[in-house]
Amino acid sequence: QEHIVETGGGLVHAGESLTLSCAPSSSAFSINAGGWYRQTPGQQREMVAHISPRGDTRYDDSVQGRFTIFRDNARNTVYLQMNDLKPEDTAVYYCNADLVDSDYEYLYSQWGQGTQVTVSL
């Protein structure tokens, strides 16, 4: 079953902003580590940003300074704030996360179905 849901994609012009959200499909799970990836047709999926359980972040060079990954544990959500979007950012964006339940059982490396981001000139 699908355990991760991404929302927030859409169509924007270059220079505009979007915020993506990633959350477990069931409230039984919390996000431990999480990250955002993107993929275009014919290309391999690439890492965009990653956040550790304690909030340490890592970014791909192509988005450094424009994108911010952050988490709100009270809302059980990981976000990707995307500023100054460029046509090259057009892709399906996927969330990947390690999930943990109240009994400390883990579901590792769970993928969502993706959300489309399209940036036009």
Side-chain angles (χ1 to χ4, degrees), residues 59-103:
Y59 299 93
D60 183 77
D61 289 343
S62 65
V63 306
Q64 184 76 240
R66 297 188 297 121
F67 291 10
T68 302
I69 186 171
F70 62 99
R71 62 193 302 157
D72 185 340
N73 290 335
R75 296 182 182 272
N76 197 21
T77 302
V78 171
Y79 302 91
L80 184 68
Q81 175 66 46
M82 304 183 294
N83 296 324
D84 191 26
L85 282 160
K86 305 176 184 298
E88 309 91 87
D89 297 318
T90 295
V92 177
Y93 283 70
Y94 298 89
C95 181
N96 181 274
D98 298 330
L99 304 180
V100 60
D101 67 17
S102 60
D103 294 321

Side-chain angles (χ1 to χ4, degrees), residues 37-39 43-47 94 111-112:
Y37 299 73
R38 65 187 180 188
Q39 187 170 26
Q43 298 279 93
Q44 291 193 330
R45 193 169 299 181
E46 64 177 10
M47 190 274 292
Y94 298 89
W111 292 99

